[in-house]
Amino acid sequence: MIVLGHQNPDCDSLCSAIALAGLFNKLGKDATPALQGEPNPEALFLLEQSGLPQPEIRTSVAGEEIFIVDYSDWNQGTADMKKAKIRGIVDHHKLGDITTSEPLECWIWPVGCSATIVYNMYKFHNQTPDTAVAKMMMGAIISDTVNFKGPTTTDIDKVAAKELAAIAGVSDLEAFATAQFDAKSDIKHIPAAELILRDQKVFEMAGEQLAIGQLELTSLETALSKKDEMLVEMGQLQANKGYHSTIVLLTDVNKLDTTALIISKDAEKVAKALNSTVIDHAFELPGVVSRKKQIIPFLQTAFEA
Ligand code: MG
Ligand code: MG
Ligand code: MG
């Protein structure tokens, strides 16, 4: 079985794929983690910290048995995923559109991170993750919950991260989180074309497609200095793909605020849905850090009204 994370892999889809494949292995089942693209710098940091090898990249899974982690939408899978046998889903997003022709195992919880759910699957099966795997899972929870400051954070995430830190032998969680966020904020030498795709997901709303990426940074300074370059790349992507909107969220993980960059057929509609106003292809979202909880529901309401 292949345990497959989503497109534009983030820490959670990498770590949860590794951790879930590890659990299946402990239970005597054959399972391999896979990614749909190169890991981002934060995910590479976690691989380096835990000493684990990078999982293989799979962009085709036709005919395979798969378990998917950190999504439940067809458009976040491989193009041929409908030809795979989906045996299960672990996710913490709104329910997507995947359906199957056979029964499947679903672990969908409204918590801050898929790795939190996978850790509870270990407990369900009376298993303990290996030290390196525990470190990856802990890092994923730190990432997805914005070090427990994001609005999706639950007590279940906090308990899981604490227990995983103990298994991983990490005594200073705060120092680990700082190093991790520094790794993902190091964007100076990353081309704008790559930055706008980081963590990007395409959402369907009333027949329109909105592509929304997110950069989580310890300061927005470097990103804002690349604003014009990013807008050019976003404009090209928008023209090529025919999206309604191409958005890049620049989220300050210290101030817990977001500045959104936008190229859109109707930027005002998008900004208004989020109680903001567009100035020069950008709008401010004070107090917003979570795309799934503080952005998508409001856009969906505005578009599907
Ligand atoms: Mg994810
Ligand atoms: Mg996640
Ligand atoms: Mg995220």
Side-chain angles (χ1 to χ4, degrees):
M1 182 152 60
I2 295 170
V3 184
L4 187 69
H6 55 71
Q7 285 180 14
N8 298 323
D10 58 3
C11 282
D12 193 20
S13 66
L14 165 83
C15 301
S16 291
I18 289 175
L20 187 55
L23 173 61
F24 288 143
N25 292 159
K26 283 182 187 291
L27 298 173
K29 289 185 214 163
D30 179 44
T32 318
L35 296 172
Q36 292 188 56
E38 291 294 335
N40 65 31
E42 186 188 21
L44 286 172
F45 168 85
L46 291 179
L47 283 172
E48 197 183 288
Q49 288 293 314
S50 56
L52 288 169
Q54 185 181 316
E56 61 174 323
I57 293 177
R58 293 288 302 245
T59 51
S60 169
V61 291
E64 303 272 7
E65 288 194 79
I66 64 171
F67 213 105
I68 66 172
V69 289
D70 206 30
Y71 62 114
S72 62
D73 304 87
W74 290 119
N75 80 356
Q76 288 181 42
T78 64
D80 62 1
M81 205 164 78
K82 285 186 179 167
K83 292 180 191 146
K85 286 184 173 31
I86 300 178
R87 295 302 185 206
I89 300 174
V90 173
D91 195 22
H92 66 124
H93 295 84
K94 73 184 175 72
L95 190 59
D97 58 357
I98 288 178
T99 54
T100 60
S101 49
E102 290 177 62
L104 78 168
E105 180 176 347
C106 276
W107 291 72
I108 299 176
W109 291 10
V111 293
C113 183
S114 293
T116 297
I117 306 169
V118 177
Y119 178 55
N120 281 279
M121 293 171 75
Y122 271 84
K123 287 187 165 182
F124 179 83
H125 289 288
N126 288 316
Q127 300 290 330
T128 307
D130 296 341
T131 310
V133 171
K135 200 182 264 187
M136 296 293 290
M137 296 168 89
M138 179 197 83
I141 298 172
I142 290 171
S143 178
D144 264 15
T145 64
V146 195
N147 198 21
F148 314 106
K149 289 182 279 191
T152 61
T153 313
T154 67
D155 287 341
I156 306 172
D157 298 294
K158 291 180 187 166
V159 168
K162 212 172 141 194
E163 293 182 9
L164 287 163
I167 298 166
V170 174
S171 54
D172 192 343
L173 211 60
E174 209 50 50
F176 192 95
T178 302
Q180 187 176 324
F181 286 151
D182 283 345
K184 82 161 135 187
S185 298
D186 189 10
I187 59 164
K188 212 172 185 168
H189 302 293
I190 301 181
E194 193 180 321
L195 286 178
I196 64 159
L197 293 176
R198 187 180 286 184
D199 206 9
Q200 190 190 71
K201 289 179 184 170
V202 179
F203 298 88
E204 293 257 351
M205 294 181 197
E208 300 280 11
Q209 290 189 310
L210 287 83
I212 309 179
Q214 186 170 27
L215 292 167
E216 292 165 325
L217 306 161
T218 51
S219 146
L220 300 193
E221 209 179 319
T222 311
L224 289 173
S225 75
K226 291 176 179 242
K227 177 183 168 185
D228 291 342
E229 280 171 76
M230 284 198 271
L231 285 171
V232 170
E233 296 295 340
M234 289 162 67
Q236 277 177 17
L237 185 74
Q238 170 95 348
N240 290 342
K241 302 271 188 177
Y243 295 142
H244 176 281
S245 298
T246 303
I247 299 167
V248 176
L249 306 168
L250 307 176
T251 298
D252 187 319
V253 296
N254 290 321
K255 294 183 181 154
L256 304 177
D257 286 329
T258 291
T259 298
L261 306 184
I262 185 163
I263 298 284
S264 177
K265 289 181 192 164
D266 190 351
E268 268 315 319
K269 177 179 180 171
V270 173
K272 201 176 156 222
L274 300 166
N275 278 323
S276 192
T277 319
V278 181
I279 302 168
D280 193 18
H281 292 287
F283 57 94
E284 299 301 322
L285 298 170
V288 170
V289 295
S290 169
R291 176 175 51 192
K292 73 168 73 64
K293 202 157 182 166
Q294 295 172 296
I295 292 183
I296 300 308
F298 299 99
L299 292 181
Q300 211 146 16
T301 303
F303 274 75
E304 289 166 7

